[in-house]
Amino acid sequence: MDDDWASGLALRPSWMELDLDALAQNYRTLRRRLGPEIKIIAALKANGYGHGAARVAGCLAGLDVDMLATGSFEDAAAIRAAGIELPILMFGGALPEAMATLLAHDLTPTVYDRAGAEAVEAAASGPAPVYVKVDAGLGRLGVALPDAFEFIRYLTGLSKLVVEGVYTHLSFYDLDGKEWSRQRLLAFDALLEDLEEAGIEVPVTQALASSTLLAGLESRANAVCPGHLLYGIPSVAPEVAEIAPYAPVVGAIRSRLIHAGPLKAGMRDTGRNAIARVGVIPFGLYDGCRPLLAEAPARVLIDGRPAPILGVSLEHTTLDLTDFEDAAVGDEVVVLGRSGGEEITLADLAAWQGTRQHHVLMAFDRRLPCRYIGGSVGSAVTGGVA
Ligand SMILES: *Cc1c(COP(=O)(O)O)cnc(C)c1O
C-alpha cells in the first residue's frame, strides 16, 4: 500500500479488496470451456459491475478478450483514458444525437431502430461498424425478433453504416426461465439462419450471457457476452447452476474499529441487556451498506470470531463486542471475507440485506474505496484507489 492510500484510509478506514487474479482465472476458465473459436465480449457495464471498469479492462486486455462492452459513455471514456484500445461495444443508453460522439471516440454503437441508424449514417465520415440489438423476448431494448430480418436488410442498404454484429440478450434466474430462454435462443438461431440463407454476412453474432452460459444452453452464434460470471457473481438460482468454478473477484471488505468500550452506564436500553461492550466501524449507509433485515443474523468477523451487528446508521455500523474483551481502536474488522476459519460471503451480505449479490455491489460503487490485488498479467493501470 502506498502512503496516500494508507493516510487516506486513516481518515476513513473502510475498503473493498478486488482480486484481479480471480478475474483472470474466471476468464481463462470460460475460455477453456468455449474453446478458441468463440469470441468473448466482456460486459463491463455499470463500472465493471462495481469493480472499476478501467481496472477490469486493463486486466482483461492482457488476456485474449476480443471486445469489451459497456452501457455508459463514462465507463467507455474511463477505459480509453487507461490506454486500452480494444474495440468497445456500447450496449445502448444514448440518444440518436449522441452517435457522432460515440463514433468520434472510436466506440461501436448499438442500433435497434431507424432513428439510430440514420444518426450513425449522418455522423459517419467513412465506414461505421455497428451492432444490431435484437429483442428476443425480454421486452426491453432491441428491434423485435419478428422485425429483425427486415431491419437488418434495410441497414445493409445504407452507404456508411456496416453491420458488424447482431446480438440479443437473455437473462433469467430460475428453471422456468431456463426453459423459456432455450426456446428464445432457438428463435434467435432461426434469424441467424435466415440471414445466412439470404447471403447477409454478419461477422459477429452473439446471444449467450452469464445465465445461459452457466445453465449450459447453446446457440449457433459465434460470440458470447458474459458479465456476472466473469466477476464470480451468480446470476441464476442454485438449482439451475452453481457459480463454481467461477470465483468471486470481491475478495474482502475490511474496516477498523474507531471505538471499542463498555456499554456506557445510563445508556438507553437497547432491549438487549446482555450486551456489555460495543464497538463502532466507519461503515454505514453512506459507504454503500444497505439496510439489514431486522431478523438477519448479521455479523462481522474479528480475529476469526463472529461479532453481531447491532445496527447500521448513515456513517457507522455498531457491533456487539461483549465477547471481545481485548478489542481496541484500530483493530481490523472483516465485513466480508475470511478471518481464521470463518467466512462472510457476498451471498451472506445479500441475504442479510434481502437482496441479490449485484445489488449489494451496485450500492458500494464509487462510495467504498477499492484496493486491487494481483492482476500483474496485462494490468495497464496502476495506483491504489480507483
Ligand atoms: C449486461 C449485458 C450482458 C451481460 O449479462 P450477464 O447476465 O451479466 O452475463 C450481455 N449482453 C447485454 C446486452 C447486456 O446488457
Side-chain angles (χ1 to χ4, degrees), residues 186-201:
L186 288 174
F188 184 71
D189 275 355
L191 167 69
L192 299 184
E193 277 173 61
D194 289 349
L195 290 169
E196 278 167 36
E197 274 166 28
I200 299 175
E201 271 181 45

Side-chain angles (χ1 to χ4, degrees), residues 145-198:
L145 188 54
D147 304 330
F149 182 85
E150 277 312 316
F151 180 62
I152 293 165
R153 190 153 62 183
Y154 148 78
L155 294 177
T156 59
L158 298 178
S159 63
K160 288 178 274 183
L161 184 150
V162 179
V163 179
E164 187 177 276
V166 171
Y167 72 101
T168 191
H169 183 49
L170 292 164
S171 73
F172 65 89
Y173 188 67
D174 57 17
L175 286 170
D176 284 350
K178 176 180 170 181
E179 200 38 50
W180 178 84
S181 296
R182 191 198 306 277
Q183 302 304 327
R184 300 323 300 156
L185 285 170
L186 288 174
F188 184 71
D189 275 355
L191 167 69
L192 299 184
E193 277 173 61
D194 289 349
L195 290 169
E196 278 167 36
E197 274 166 28

Side-chain angles (χ1 to χ4, degrees), residues 188-343:
F188 184 71
D189 275 355
L191 167 69
L192 299 184
E193 277 173 61
D194 289 349
L195 290 169
E196 278 167 36
E197 274 166 28
I200 299 175
E201 271 181 45
V202 181
V204 182
T205 54
Q206 181 270 308
L208 301 182
S210 298
S211 302
T212 40
L213 284 166
L214 286 170
L217 297 182
E218 296 191 346
S219 149
R220 65 181 287 131
N222 63 15
V224 300
C225 185
H228 280 77
L229 173 159
L230 290 176
Y231 308 96
I233 309 168
S235 60
V236 290
E239 63 266 26
V240 174
E242 293 293 338
I243 183 68
Y246 302 98
V249 175
V250 175
I253 295 173
R254 299 180 203 277
S255 189
R256 289 183 190 276
L257 288 172
I258 53 169
H259 167 72
L263 191 66
K264 292 148 200 149
M267 289 299 105
R268 193 158 59 90
D269 181 7
T270 59
R272 306 184 209 212
N273 294 331
I275 295 168
R277 231 174 122 70
V278 297
V280 176
I281 52 174
F283 175 77
L285 301 176
Y286 170 76
D287 304 281
C289 180
R290 297 161 46 110
L292 304 172
L293 300 177
E295 66 277 17
R299 56 195 183 272
V300 296
L301 300 174
I302 301 174
D303 254 346
R305 288 190 296 136
I309 293 176
L310 295 175
V312 177
S313 53
L314 288 182
E315 292 201 358
H316 296 143
T317 290
T318 306
L319 308 172
D320 176 355
L321 295 187
T322 304
D323 295 333
F324 294 83
E325 272 291 305
D326 300 331
V329 168
D331 285 2
E332 184 174 283
V333 174
V334 173
V335 173
L336 178 153
R338 282 180 200 284
S339 177
E342 297 273 339
E343 182 176 21

